Amino acid sequence: VIAGGGILGNSIAYYLAKRSVSVTLIDPVGIAPAASAKAGGFLARDWRDDTPLEELHRTSFGLHEELAKEFGPDKIDYRRLTCAAVAVDG
């Protein structure tokens, strides 16, 4: 039994189910009822480079692309963009 239908509860349920573990997900309001259903995401692969979180961050970044391929990018509103940082003096 997983208590909480937000992004963490759903992620745990999904990966357990992929391993053939029977799961029950409960939430008093519903699936993704709050911030998990409302938040727009912006990910950058290199934001945590040269920190203790670099490997975890890059793995997580890659998982988003894997999930988009598995479910279809349109179903999870995933799109990969190339961005650049520009320094402005003054």
Side-chain angles (χ1 to χ4, degrees):
V1 175
I2 299 168
I7 189 63
L8 291 176
N10 276 284
S11 295
I12 292 166
Y14 173 75
Y15 283 104
L16 285 173
K18 280 188 74 160
R19 293 177 173 233
S20 300
V21 175
S22 178
V23 297
T24 301
L25 183 64
I26 60 171
D27 190 285
V29 180
I31 301 301
S36 293
K38 312 283 187 282
F42 182 82
L43 306 169
R45 182 178 26 211
D46 59 353
W47 278 354
R48 298 289 183 246
D49 283 1
D50 301 319
T51 75
L53 297 174
E54 179 177 354
E55 183 178 354
L56 176 64
H57 185 81
R58 285 181 170 261
T59 299
S60 176
F61 184 90
L63 281 174
H64 282 83
E65 192 164 42
E66 282 181 36
L67 290 170
K69 288 177 184 173
E70 189 168 333
F71 292 115
D74 294 340
K75 289 187 178 180
I76 63 169
D77 293 329
Y78 175 87
R79 60 190 169 123
R80 181 106 183 245
L81 303 172
T82 300
C83 299
V86 178
V88 177
D89 186 20

